Amino acid sequence: MSKIFVNNSGPLMGEVEISGAKNAVLPLMAATLLTADECVIESVPDLADVSVMKKMLASYGAQVDDSEPGVVKVKAENITTVEGDPELVQEMRASTMAMGPLLARCGRVVQPMPGGCTIGKRPIDLHLKGFRSLGAKVIEEEDRVIIEAGPEGLKGDAIYLDFPSVGATENILMAAVLAKGTTIIENAAKEPEIVDLANLLNKMGAKIKSAGTDMIRIEGVERLSGAIHGVIPDRIEAGTFMLAAAITRGKVHVKNAIPGHVRPIISKLKESGVTVELTDDGIFVDASGDRELVATDIKTLPYPGFPTDIQSPFMAFLTTVKGKSVCRETVFENRFMHVVELNRMGADITTENREAIIPGGKKLHGAKVRATDLRAGAAMILAGLVATGTTEISEIYHIERGYENVVKKFKALGADIVKVDED
Ligand code: EPZ
């Protein structure tokens, strides 16, 4: 089991380049199943989840060429099966992204049920509600779901999402682009990753309007063609490195970040007393000097609210500022697993249902901690940078699912961090 060791590192200084977004590239890759032509996706991050997605596309019969670094070419000319591989689904929940494209392209899909994970049950009821609205028959079995379009294929309809689910919005979008007639998704997710997906689909010949708003309109078309598309930068990686500067009281230029995608993080860091300036190619974060940083409360919400994926890294930061903060998690039902780990380091956080109380003003100490999910793992690295002594992080495969070259990027900013491969 590999581990990451972090020593107290002092203020981080320098520049970090943000990679392509994990939560954009996965649906973009799934969308390539919608056409027999070749699609080229650029600025692809080198992540474990991307490797699983490549395997998944190949398991459906697509040709996947990743010989050029940062580029994935997919040609799904012949779909050889519509049955998902249970192992791949267990490995990565985002494999549910194949349901929409396969249903649209082949009229049938058999999807092994994705497991929950540490942050919640992760149901797909809203995805299935959308497919039913498009006229598909959905048969839910014990460990898989079978979805079949009628003999005339999918038919557009108005679909209301009870919660603005990112995955459900993406799956319904990919199913509706080849449906007959018009589909309206109401209370749709508005994340930048939805807009990125709609941009690729429109390049492929789809007719999608108002992606990024809570009402997306799709005019179905007969077929889609290949396209070339670059992945947007990862706003969650950007937020993580902004917080690395803040927690270590350093100065970091987060290059290639899109300020408009991280507004809540910018606002909350400024509320704490951190200087945040926009540059012509990113965001400059300055928490240096003897300024006193103060507490601020956060409440996670669907975009454009405060992102749930930044909740745990932000909590690590709040343990070190003066005063009590309250952190409210409204998106996932169990996303405080990192509290136990931060408390091993002396954070003294208490939780009540979906609310965490962070007393703040703590001098953390190194400890043996676990990465309980992808973002919690990042939070452990941030805490380890300022804790006295050494912090040993296990289960780091979570971190490598979503952060490209994470150790190298932190090292380049002056972090005392190393990955040790232990068998
Ligand atoms: C996406 O997950 C992201 N993953 C998550 O990032 C992110 O935290 C989440 O959106 C919210 O922003 C990818 O894009 C690959 P949801 P997704 O459907 O689509 C409930 C990370 O760390 N829900 O918006 O699964 C669900 O239980 C990961 O990068 C239903 O009830 O999120 C949750 O409470 C973690 N029924 C809430 O909605 C459904 O059918 C938000 O889920 C679907 C979702």
Side-chain angles (χ1 to χ4, degrees), residues 22-23 93 122-126 165-167 309 331-332 375:
K22 167 181 91 77
N23 293 347
R93 172 195 153 66
R122 311 298 292 273
I124 58 168
D125 57 307
L126 296 175
S165 154
V166 172
D309 293 346
V331 176
F332 287 103
R375 309 304 174 182

Side-chain angles (χ1 to χ4, degrees), residues 1 50 85 174 205 213 236 238 246 265 267 271 305 361 417 419-420:
M1 278 290 260
V50 169
D85 175 339
M174 290 190 279
T213 74
I236 305 302
I265 305 166
S267 304
E271 277 177 28
I417 181 171
K419 175 182 168 185
V420 175

